[in-house]
Amino acid sequence: MRILITGGAGFIGSHVADFALGAGHEVAVVDNLSAGKRENVPGQATFFQTDVRRRDEIMKIFREWRPDVVSHQAAQASVSVSVRDPLLDADINIVGSLNVMDAARAAKVRRFVFASTGGAIYGDVPEGRRADLSWRPDPLSPYACSKLAVERYLILHRSLYDLDYRILRYANVYGPRQDPYGEAGVVAIFLDRMLAGRCVQVNAMAREGDDGCVRDYVYVEDVARANLAAMTGDSMPPTANIATGIGTTTLQLVRQLEVAIERKVEVRHAPPRAGDVARSVLAPTESAGPSTTLSAGLAETLRWFRKRRETASIRP
Ligand code: NAD
């Protein structure tokens, strides 16, 4: 199959590209490198550096490269940025996605896989519960609104234009290649700081000093595998939660990282952040496959971050 991945120079998209190539598919990546890196794009993939908001260029790429399926990962992926600048968020995440959908429709793409958010779309999940697909979305940020809007457009595109889709609602994804300098990606941020011997900040869930927000941490390779299944098979339902079903507080995450790294860290407590969901735990869709345990995933991620530091320190 010919698989086109938008955002394939980013954290999750580059793992999707690796998995697709590993399974013998041809891969093209579309990315404007605003957050992604050229070195994340595998050498065997065709690379188009452009912005999903550039409609004519996107149409041309689809017309000429002719993908069979699309995995649409490109996005403004930060909740905080969306709270500060909802117009930018809507421009990239809604208008940009509509461009990609339109190009996919014109090029008669067989299936459109969309990276949505289970972590943000359901809003606060009460203690003891896990959000399943029957839950009514309750976006608490412009980012969650834009993801929900695209989900709705996809459902419409199927009925109006016969564009087949799969929506993957990811929980909180972590793993190698996640950017530690952004505002999202707490595992990457903490690992980077801990390896540098610096303190970490726990933003409170409700009041300063509590154990922080509850998140469902899912390993990036499980997410990439789910993307491949969604693109190439029929096991995945139209909408799926890609998650573990296990809730972890930010402080529990710090403690697990301390075990992995074999070092204690200074924890600073800070107030809750605007737009952040307090508790997010999802009921995983079974056909998405088994998930990597948090300790195994953190060990792999730590290995990668250690290696990255070593390589950086031997650079002139
Ligand atoms: P990322 O920032 O690493 O990847 C996004 C990629 O999209 C980057 O390479 C970036 O350069 C590219 N991009 C951004 N704007 C673009 C534009 N206008 N045109 C072309 N390319 C553009 O983020 P990620 O964590 O890999 O997220 C991938 C997808 O998964 C996003 O859609 C995100 O919303 C979604 N998601 C991520 C998580 C998570 O925990 N990381 C959770 C739920 C959903």
Side-chain angles (χ1 to χ4, degrees), residues 10-12 31-32 34-36 51-52 73-75 116 143 147 170-171 173:
F11 163 48
I12 299 170
D31 201 300
N32 68 352
S34 56
D51 195 301
V52 291
Q73 307 289 326
S116 187
Y143 168 76
K147 290 288 182 181
Y170 309 157
V173 191

Side-chain angles (χ1 to χ4, degrees), residues 6-14 30-37 40 48-54 58 72-78 91-93 96 114-120 143 147 168-174 177-179 184-185 218 220 223:
T6 70
F11 163 48
I12 299 170
S14 62
V30 171
D31 201 300
N32 68 352
L33 300 183
S34 56
K37 295 192 182 73
N40 283 348
F48 299 102
Q49 183 175 346
T50 192
D51 195 301
V52 291
R53 290 168 291 180
R54 301 182 76 154
I58 296 295
H72 180 43
Q73 307 289 326
Q76 182 302 107
S78 156
D91 198 24
I92 299 171
N93 290 3
F114 175 55
S116 187
T117 168
Y143 168 76
K147 290 288 182 181
L168 303 181
R169 290 178 173 170
Y170 309 157
N172 274 70
V173 191
Y174 70 96
R177 295 188 207 139
Q178 190 162 33
D179 180 8
V218 62
V220 69
V223 176

Side-chain angles (χ1 to χ4, degrees), residues 234-290:
D234 285 320
S235 58
M236 202 69 84
T239 304
N241 279 345
I242 310 303
T244 66
I246 298 166
T248 304
T249 65
T250 317
L251 200 60
Q252 284 170 336
L253 177 71
V254 173
R255 299 301 173 226
Q256 288 236 35
L257 286 169
E258 285 180 330
V259 171
I261 214 167
E262 296 174 325
R263 195 188 302 160
K264 296 293 277 180
V265 63
E266 182 194 338
V267 176
R268 297 215 174 132
H269 292 273
R273 287 197 316 183
D276 267 355
V277 166
R279 188 174 183 280
S280 167
V281 185
L282 315 184
T285 298
E286 278 189 14
S287 50

Side-chain angles (χ1 to χ4, degrees), residues 39-289:
E39 67 259 31
N40 283 348
V41 180
Q44 308 97 296
T46 304
F47 180 57
F48 299 102
Q49 183 175 346
T50 192
D51 195 301
V52 291
R53 290 168 291 180
R54 301 182 76 154
R55 183 181 165 72
D56 291 350
E57 282 191 29
I58 296 295
M59 295 298 276
K60 185 165 179 278
I61 290 166
F62 274 73
R63 215 169 33 242
E64 292 177 359
W65 199 76
R66 292 227 146 277
D68 297 306
V69 293
V70 171
S71 168
H72 180 43
Q73 307 289 326
Q76 182 302 107
S78 156
V79 168
S80 323
V81 169
S82 83
V83 171
R84 284 201 298 273
D85 195 345
L87 282 165
L88 174 78
D89 180 83
D91 198 24
I92 299 171
N93 290 3
I94 302 180
V95 178
S97 296
L98 278 172
N99 281 338
V100 182
M101 261 183 249
D102 213 28
R105 174 165 75 91
K108 300 204 173 1
V109 157
R110 272 189 254 159
R111 189 173 288 166
F112 191 103
V113 175
F114 175 55
S116 187
T117 168
I121 219 162
Y122 296 111
D124 276 325
V125 178
E127 180 77 43
R129 308 276 311 273
R130 303 193 303 185
D132 64 39
L133 296 168
S134 70
W135 281 48
R136 216 183 127 96
D138 182 19
L140 301 179
S141 62
Y143 168 76
C145 271
S146 66
K147 290 288 182 181
L148 180 60
V150 175
E151 289 195 2
R152 294 286 149 91
Y153 273 113
L154 276 172
I155 295 166
L156 255 181
H157 268 59
R158 184 165 66 187
S159 58
L160 290 177
Y161 314 118
D162 213 21
L163 177 67
D164 190 19
Y165 71 85
R166 293 291 183 275
I167 291 165
L168 303 181
R169 290 178 173 170
Y170 309 157
N172 274 70
V173 191
Y174 70 96
R177 295 188 207 139
Q178 190 162 33
D179 180 8
Y181 307 116
E183 294 181 64
V186 68
V187 170
I189 295 169
F190 281 7
L191 270 179
D192 188 70
R193 294 184 66 89
M194 287 169 82
L195 286 171
R198 299 170 70 190
C199 67
V200 298
Q201 177 172 307
V202 172
N203 287 92
M205 178 165 69
R207 62 191 155 70
E208 198 161 332
D210 68 23
D211 286 359
C213 299
V214 177
R215 294 286 179 268
D216 181 329
Y217 292 101
V218 62
Y219 189 54
V220 69
E221 290 192 1
D222 299 333
V223 176
R225 204 172 296 111
N227 266 273
L228 195 61
M231 284 189 286
T232 59
D234 285 320
S235 58
M236 202 69 84
T239 304
N241 279 345
I242 310 303
T244 66
I246 298 166
T248 304
T249 65
T250 317
L251 200 60
Q252 284 170 336
L253 177 71
V254 173
R255 299 301 173 226
Q256 288 236 35
L257 286 169
E258 285 180 330
V259 171
I261 214 167
E262 296 174 325
R263 195 188 302 160
K264 296 293 277 180
V265 63
E266 182 194 338
V267 176
R268 297 215 174 132
H269 292 273
R273 287 197 316 183
D276 267 355
V277 166
R279 188 174 183 280
S280 167
V281 185
L282 315 184
T285 298
E286 278 189 14
S287 50

Side-chain angles (χ1 to χ4, degrees), residues 3 14-27 42 44 228:
I3 295 179
S14 62
H15 286 274
V16 177
D18 286 344
F19 269 68
L21 286 164
H25 300 289
E26 275 183 75
V27 169
Q44 308 97 296
L228 195 61

